Amino acid sequence: MAKKILEVRDLTVGFPREHGLLKATDHVSFSIEEGQTLCIVGESGSGKSVTSMAIMRLIDYAGGIIAEGKITFDGEELTTKKQSEMNRIRGERLAMIFQDPMSALNPVFSVGDQIAESLRIHKGMNAKDAWNKAVEMLKLVGIPEAEIRAKQYPFEMSGGMCQRVVIAMALACDPELIIADEPTTALDVTIQAQILDLLRRLKRELRTATLLITHDMGVAAEMADRIAVMYAGTIVEEGTVDEVFRTPRHPYTVGLLRSIPRLEEEPGSELYTIQGSIPGIGELPQGCRFHPRCPHAMSRCFIEEPSLLAAKGKEGHRAACWLEGIPEVSTR
Ligand SMILES: Nc1ncnc2c1ncn2[C@@H]1O[C@H](COP(=O)(O)OP(=O)(O)O)[C@@H](O)[C@H]1O
Ligand SMILES: [Mg+2]
């Protein structure tokens, strides 16, 4: 069996309020093996970023707490680490790519210096070796004239180029896990496609375990080995790309799949949208949290919350739904 790089068990993250804890995630569990890319997909507000911030322990700085659960990274428990210990892990063994490349880069240092600095701190390289490695990393992520570009500042580069720099910086220390939270969402559509191409190529070449967060099922289809569908703070379905796309078991997944724009669609035809909207934290309905929006809701769904269970004969394909099978599983 492949080694588990990351194992998240029963992760409950919340924001303490006078009247109690506002839970943003509720007993979230998943794992990522060496070389694997897991995509967490779900609408905005489903708890994807909160989950990633908890793994990186940056949630502490956002007013949140890990109320329950374990996060095991390469055998080490992260939930109990001090921030000083996390500082050594973050950026070296656990790399991050965020939505907005500009906020991840320091405006007053050249991009080459920023990558080199990280190599000097984490890998103890001397200035010259670190600079050469920085240039090499810029080449790897497809930045033309890397030697010249390395001396430029973030404001001299386009958003797409800056995101390439951020990716180069994330990869420079040869991390065991990359967490990328909506890495293409802030970019123009054509640039998005180029960055996705880059991520796919790097995935093939480097096989670094990756947690990729996206609200876009199309992106997940292209990038993921496994997919976890998140809704209102819980994982409602999890499986391989094939399982989730070909035989979805949760009506929410079916809704997301139906909302993917397709090339063969009549121009101007209306895109499917799931009726209703995601509940805010602290406003969860009783029973299944998706039932108010579910086209298949039965009386049981109003009362009892289903747990995430494997399908018969399919250990790895889990769904949290009372339905025995979704009528018309076709996603169209
Ligand atoms: N700092 C915070 N304080 C209070 N609530 C928050 C905070 N950050 C996120 N939330 C809430 O937690 C829920 C999940 O947010 P988030 O993880 O950002 O969703 P996603 O990344 O899936 O769009 C949302 O309802 C959001 O409003
Ligand atoms: Mg988010």
Side-chain angles (χ1 to χ4, degrees), residues 15 17 24 43-50 62 281:
F15 300 95
R17 295 288 181 265
E43 286 164 292
S44 180
S46 48
K48 307 183 297 296
S49 293
V50 164
I281 54 176

PDB file of all heavy atoms in Angstrom, residues 15 17 24 43-50 62 281, ligand 1:
ATOM      1  N   PHE A  15     -15.384  28.735  14.719  1.00  0.00           N
ATOM      2  CA  PHE A  15     -15.092  30.086  15.175  1.00  0.00           C
ATOM      3  C   PHE A  15     -15.854  30.320  16.470  1.00  0.00           C
ATOM      4  O   PHE A  15     -17.086  30.286  16.467  1.00  0.00           O
ATOM      5  CB  PHE A  15     -15.480  31.098  14.089  1.00  0.00           C
ATOM      6  CG  PHE A  15     -14.728  30.876  12.803  1.00  0.00           C
ATOM      7  CD1 PHE A  15     -15.277  30.112  11.784  1.00  0.00           C
ATOM      8  CD2 PHE A  15     -13.451  31.393  12.645  1.00  0.00           C
ATOM      9  CE1 PHE A  15     -14.565  29.881  10.614  1.00  0.00           C
ATOM     10  CE2 PHE A  15     -12.729  31.167  11.482  1.00  0.00           C
ATOM     11  CZ  PHE A  15     -13.296  30.409  10.467  1.00  0.00           C
ATOM     12  N   ARG A  17     -17.854  31.823  19.359  1.00  0.00           N
ATOM     13  CA  ARG A  17     -18.739  32.981  19.533  1.00  0.00           C
ATOM     14  C   ARG A  17     -19.328  32.907  20.935  1.00  0.00           C
ATOM     15  O   ARG A  17     -19.258  31.859  21.573  1.00  0.00           O
ATOM     16  CB  ARG A  17     -19.870  32.970  18.494  1.00  0.00           C
ATOM     17  CG  ARG A  17     -19.414  33.123  17.047  1.00  0.00           C
ATOM     18  CD  ARG A  17     -18.944  34.542  16.753  1.00  0.00           C
ATOM     19  NE  ARG A  17     -18.514  34.703  15.357  1.00  0.00           N
ATOM     20  CZ  ARG A  17     -17.243  34.597  14.961  1.00  0.00           C
ATOM     21  NH1 ARG A  17     -16.297  34.299  15.817  1.00  0.00           N
ATOM     22  NH2 ARG A  17     -16.928  34.780  13.696  1.00  0.00           N
ATOM     23  N   ALA A  24     -17.395  25.476  11.021  1.00  0.00           N
ATOM     24  CA  ALA A  24     -17.227  25.640   9.564  1.00  0.00           C
ATOM     25  C   ALA A  24     -16.969  24.303   8.891  1.00  0.00           C
ATOM     26  O   ALA A  24     -17.253  24.133   7.704  1.00  0.00           O
ATOM     27  CB  ALA A  24     -16.096  26.615   9.264  1.00  0.00           C
ATOM     28  N   GLU A  43     -19.247  24.324  -3.692  1.00  0.00           N
ATOM     29  CA  GLU A  43     -19.560  25.738  -3.887  1.00  0.00           C
ATOM     30  C   GLU A  43     -18.825  26.594  -2.866  1.00  0.00           C
ATOM     31  O   GLU A  43     -18.403  26.109  -1.820  1.00  0.00           O
ATOM     32  CB  GLU A  43     -21.069  25.973  -3.672  1.00  0.00           C
ATOM     33  CG  GLU A  43     -21.953  25.494  -4.767  1.00  0.00           C
ATOM     34  CD  GLU A  43     -23.389  25.418  -4.251  1.00  0.00           C
ATOM     35  OE1 GLU A  43     -23.662  24.560  -3.394  1.00  0.00           O
ATOM     36  OE2 GLU A  43     -24.225  26.213  -4.709  1.00  0.00           O
ATOM     37  N   SER A  44     -18.789  27.871  -3.167  1.00  0.00           N
ATOM     38  CA  SER A  44     -18.225  28.841  -2.245  1.00  0.00           C
ATOM     39  C   SER A  44     -18.956  28.761  -0.899  1.00  0.00           C
ATOM     40  O   SER A  44     -20.176  28.665  -0.857  1.00  0.00           O
ATOM     41  CB  SER A  44     -18.380  30.222  -2.871  1.00  0.00           C
ATOM     42  OG  SER A  44     -17.863  31.174  -2.022  1.00  0.00           O
ATOM     43  N   GLY A  45     -18.207  28.748   0.189  1.00  0.00           N
ATOM     44  CA  GLY A  45     -18.814  28.696   1.513  1.00  0.00           C
ATOM     45  C   GLY A  45     -18.958  27.288   2.062  1.00  0.00           C
ATOM     46  O   GLY A  45     -19.530  27.096   3.133  1.00  0.00           O
ATOM     47  N   SER A  46     -18.407  26.282   1.356  1.00  0.00           N
ATOM     48  CA  SER A  46     -18.601  24.910   1.831  1.00  0.00           C
ATOM     49  C   SER A  46     -17.557  24.481   2.856  1.00  0.00           C
ATOM     50  O   SER A  46     -17.682  23.415   3.451  1.00  0.00           O
ATOM     51  CB  SER A  46     -18.665  23.932   0.653  1.00  0.00           C
ATOM     52  OG  SER A  46     -17.619  24.136  -0.241  1.00  0.00           O
ATOM     53  N   GLY A  47     -16.519  25.291   3.057  1.00  0.00           N
ATOM     54  CA  GLY A  47     -15.533  24.960   4.083  1.00  0.00           C
ATOM     55  C   GLY A  47     -14.206  24.464   3.540  1.00  0.00           C
ATOM     56  O   GLY A  47     -13.378  23.952   4.297  1.00  0.00           O
ATOM     57  N   LYS A  48     -13.989  24.656   2.255  1.00  0.00           N
ATOM     58  CA  LYS A  48     -12.753  24.175   1.626  1.00  0.00           C
ATOM     59  C   LYS A  48     -11.536  24.928   2.152  1.00  0.00           C
ATOM     60  O   LYS A  48     -10.543  24.320   2.555  1.00  0.00           O
ATOM     61  CB  LYS A  48     -12.844  24.332   0.091  1.00  0.00           C
ATOM     62  CG  LYS A  48     -14.082  23.699  -0.532  1.00  0.00           C
ATOM     63  CD  LYS A  48     -14.091  23.816  -2.048  1.00  0.00           C
ATOM     64  CE  LYS A  48     -14.130  25.235  -2.593  1.00  0.00           C
ATOM     65  NZ  LYS A  48     -15.356  25.977  -2.258  1.00  0.00           N
ATOM     66  N   SER A  49     -11.616  26.250   2.137  1.00  0.00           N
ATOM     67  CA  SER A  49     -10.455  27.044   2.588  1.00  0.00           C
ATOM     68  C   SER A  49     -10.206  26.849   4.078  1.00  0.00           C
ATOM     69  O   SER A  49      -9.053  26.747   4.505  1.00  0.00           O
ATOM     70  CB  SER A  49     -10.664  28.525   2.283  1.00  0.00           C
ATOM     71  OG  SER A  49     -10.667  28.735   0.896  1.00  0.00           O
ATOM     72  N   VAL A  50     -11.267  26.784   4.854  1.00  0.00           N
ATOM     73  CA  VAL A  50     -11.120  26.564   6.293  1.00  0.00           C
ATOM     74  C   VAL A  50     -10.381  25.243   6.545  1.00  0.00           C
ATOM     75  O   VAL A  50      -9.485  25.164   7.387  1.00  0.00           O
ATOM     76  CB  VAL A  50     -12.501  26.592   6.996  1.00  0.00           C
ATOM     77  CG1 VAL A  50     -12.421  25.983   8.383  1.00  0.00           C
ATOM     78  CG2 VAL A  50     -13.024  28.029   7.071  1.00  0.00           C
ATOM     79  N   ALA A  62      -6.725  33.252  11.889  1.00  0.00           N
ATOM     80  CA  ALA A  62      -7.969  33.762  11.309  1.00  0.00           C
ATOM     81  C   ALA A  62      -9.102  33.717  12.337  1.00  0.00           C
ATOM     82  O   ALA A  62     -10.271  33.828  11.985  1.00  0.00           O
ATOM     83  CB  ALA A  62      -8.336  32.959  10.062  1.00  0.00           C
ATOM     84  N   ILE A 281     -22.796  29.136   8.029  1.00  0.00           N
ATOM     85  CA  ILE A 281     -22.491  28.322   9.208  1.00  0.00           C
ATOM     86  C   ILE A 281     -23.389  28.799  10.349  1.00  0.00           C
ATOM     87  O   ILE A 281     -23.692  29.963  10.478  1.00  0.00           O
ATOM     88  CB  ILE A 281     -20.987  28.325   9.581  1.00  0.00           C
ATOM     89  CG1 ILE A 281     -20.440  29.744   9.755  1.00  0.00           C
ATOM     90  CG2 ILE A 281     -20.171  27.584   8.564  1.00  0.00           C
ATOM     91  CD1 ILE A 281     -18.998  29.765  10.218  1.00  0.00           C
TER      92      ILE A 281
HETATM   93  N1  LIG B   1     -12.702  34.069   9.885  1.00  0.00           N
HETATM   94  C1  LIG B   1     -13.964  33.620   9.810  1.00  0.00           C
HETATM   95  N2  LIG B   1     -14.876  33.937  10.757  1.00  0.00           N
HETATM   96  C2  LIG B   1     -16.142  33.476  10.693  1.00  0.00           C
HETATM   97  N3  LIG B   1     -16.601  32.659   9.713  1.00  0.00           N
HETATM   98  C3  LIG B   1     -15.748  32.316   8.736  1.00  0.00           C
HETATM   99  C4  LIG B   1     -14.383  32.774   8.715  1.00  0.00           C
HETATM  100  N4  LIG B   1     -13.765  32.249   7.618  1.00  0.00           N
HETATM  101  C5  LIG B   1     -14.701  31.520   6.982  1.00  0.00           C
HETATM  102  N5  LIG B   1     -15.884  31.551   7.643  1.00  0.00           N
HETATM  103  C6  LIG B   1     -17.126  30.848   7.264  1.00  0.00           C
HETATM  104  O1  LIG B   1     -16.856  29.464   7.148  1.00  0.00           O
HETATM  105  C7  LIG B   1     -17.578  28.904   6.066  1.00  0.00           C
HETATM  106  C8  LIG B   1     -16.612  28.188   5.135  1.00  0.00           C
HETATM  107  O2  LIG B   1     -15.785  29.155   4.518  1.00  0.00           O
HETATM  108  P1  LIG B   1     -14.616  28.770   3.493  1.00  0.00           P
HETATM  109  O3  LIG B   1     -13.821  27.647   4.029  1.00  0.00           O
HETATM  110  O4  LIG B   1     -13.897  30.026   3.174  1.00  0.00           O
HETATM  111  O5  LIG B   1     -15.442  28.284   2.217  1.00  0.00           O
HETATM  112  P2  LIG B   1     -14.906  27.913   0.760  1.00  0.00           P
HETATM  113  O6  LIG B   1     -13.413  28.027   0.756  1.00  0.00           O
HETATM  114  O7  LIG B   1     -15.404  26.535   0.515  1.00  0.00           O
HETATM  115  O8  LIG B   1     -15.546  28.898  -0.152  1.00  0.00           O
HETATM  116  C9  LIG B   1     -18.320  30.048   5.401  1.00  0.00           C
HETATM  117  O9  LIG B   1     -19.653  30.028   5.840  1.00  0.00           O
HETATM  118  C10 LIG B   1     -17.594  31.268   5.877  1.00  0.00           C
HETATM  119  O10 LIG B   1     -18.459  32.369   5.943  1.00  0.00           O
END
